[in-house]
Amino acid sequence: MPLDQSLTTDVHETIIILPGGNIHAQGLLHEGPQPPEALIDGVCRPLRAAAARQGRPIRLSIGHPDGRVEHHRIAVDGTTHPDPIPTAETAATDPVWSQGIPEDTGLLAPVRAAHRAGHWRAAQQAALRATQHLAAQHGRDHPYAAMGVELRAHFSLMNQDHTTGTLLSTEAAVGIHRLGGPPAQYRHHLANAVAAWLHSSRDIRPGGPGFAVAHALIRITPNDQAVLAALLRRLTKDRA
């Protein structure tokens, strides 16, 4: 199940340098005799062209095997420059995040009924229907849509559907972060994503949930070096 691109797509690209020198970018594993710098340059060539074509810069964050993250900005002229490390979140949060999904929609009643009965699969399905309705009514870039993904992630984890829970928790974290939601909220979902992946079959395919979580860590919590380093070691170890 791919991440919902409407919630996660922006002009911020992330690249992972794996232990051993290979890199992972845009859902693909790039291997070769070249050093990581040459592999990264190959990935960045189309990004430089895109920045010029679109007339806007592209943020680029690169995660290293030790968990360190370096930040760059690809300018519209194709040059790459160091970018200041993102500061701690200080912007005011829209009150809509504390209001939650409106009760008058009636969307939460089926979810709560399934929850009370302990029918987690039914709760997953009800949360999916609620999310689809909210996205159709308010747009997929509205906080309500992200809240629906949160519900889906929660009940996937309650149903011990760890792989789906990993994907949806990652999607919720990235979406809330991009839409300016509460930092504690997206950090919570990101932690759930890491834990869920560790409890899953640990899918390490290049397009799988393990790498999706790693890229989300680089994007959202670039200073949590220990968590990222441990996850990259696990991704590499499981591939061996």
Side-chain angles (χ1 to χ4, degrees):
M1 180 186 299
L3 292 180
D4 187 327
Q5 293 301 307
S6 65
L7 288 180
T8 61
T9 297
D10 57 20
V11 286
H12 185 180
E13 293 286 343
T14 53
I15 295 175
I16 296 170
I17 301 176
L18 294 167
N22 296 325
I23 72 168
H24 186 274
Q26 299 177 331
L28 299 174
L29 186 64
H30 300 261
E31 303 174 290
Q34 307 99 316
E37 294 77 13
L39 296 172
I40 290 172
D41 185 65
V43 170
C44 286
R45 279 196 293 269
L47 296 180
R48 290 192 287 268
R53 184 174 60 254
Q54 298 171 8
R56 60 180 180 176
I58 294 176
R59 293 178 61 199
L60 174 66
S61 297
I62 302 174
H64 290 258
D66 61 0
R68 176 174 51 91
V69 178
E70 58 181 273
H71 305 278
H72 304 274
R73 184 172 294 270
I74 301 174
V76 296
D77 62 1
T79 57
T80 302
H81 308 275
D83 204 28
I85 296 175
T87 57
E89 301 91 346
T90 57
T93 302
D94 191 318
V96 71
W97 290 101
S98 61
Q99 295 170 358
I101 297 172
E103 293 288 342
D104 58 8
T105 62
L107 296 172
L108 296 179
V111 178
R112 288 185 176 135
H115 187 183
R116 287 193 299 270
H119 295 161
W120 308 126
R121 178 60 178 165
Q124 281 182 272
Q125 294 171 340
L128 172 59
R129 289 191 295 270
T131 304
Q132 292 171 332
H133 180 88
L134 290 166
Q137 184 172 5
H138 299 280
R140 304 194 71 81
D141 285 338
H142 192 281
Y144 290 158
M147 293 175 195
V149 177
E150 287 186 279
L151 278 179
R152 294 178 61 199
H154 172 74
F155 289 114
S156 294
L157 297 177
M158 293 299 294
N159 196 36
Q160 298 188 33
D161 185 352
H162 298 299
T163 297
T164 302
T166 301
L167 286 165
L168 290 173
S169 295
T170 304
E171 182 180 327
V174 175
I176 294 166
H177 177 262
R178 189 177 69 79
L179 295 173
Q185 205 161 319
Y186 56 68
R187 287 177 177 272
H188 168 75
H189 289 293
L190 193 53
N192 280 351
V194 174
W197 184 77
L198 290 172
H199 283 91
S200 71
S201 60
R202 294 202 295 269
D203 183 351
I204 58 170
R205 292 173 301 169
F211 279 105
V213 176
H215 282 279
L217 286 168
I218 292 171
R219 178 187 291 257
I220 297 174
T221 57
N223 295 321
D224 291 348
Q225 296 185 12
V227 177
L228 177 60
L231 181 58
L232 295 184
R233 286 195 300 270
R234 173 57 63 184
L235 283 166
T236 305
K237 178 181 177 181
D238 287 352
R239 291 184 65 85

